[in-house]
């Protein structure tokens, strides 16, 4: 269980580190909103997978 949490958090951090510089460089608000929503969906999926009984 701890490894699932750790790898999930690392995945979210790496995805944010990959996508957020693009948003800051382009300075497009709509692109930033889409990326933040995508990260929120990624976190929601991670939480749901942690709650499931594997």
């Amino acid at each position: 269980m701890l490894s699932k949490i750790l790898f999930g958090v690392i995945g979210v951090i790496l995805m944010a580190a990959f996508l957020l510089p693009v948003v800051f460089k382009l300075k497009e608000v709509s692109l930033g909103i889409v990326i933040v929503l995508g990260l929120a969906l990624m976190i929601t999926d991670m939480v749901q997978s942690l709650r499931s009984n594997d």
Side-chain angles (χ1 to χ4, degrees), residues 1 3 9 11 13-14 21-22 24-25 31-32 34 36 40 43 45 50:
M1 180 72 165
S3 64
V9 169
I13 290 170
L14 288 175
V22 175
F24 289 126
K25 184 170 179 134
L31 179 63
V34 169
V36 168
I43 292 169
D45 185 51
L50 290 175

Side-chain angles (χ1 to χ4, degrees), residues 20-29 31:
L20 290 179
V22 175
V23 174
F24 289 126
K25 184 170 179 134
L26 294 177
K27 296 180 180 163
E28 289 288 331
V29 177
L31 179 63

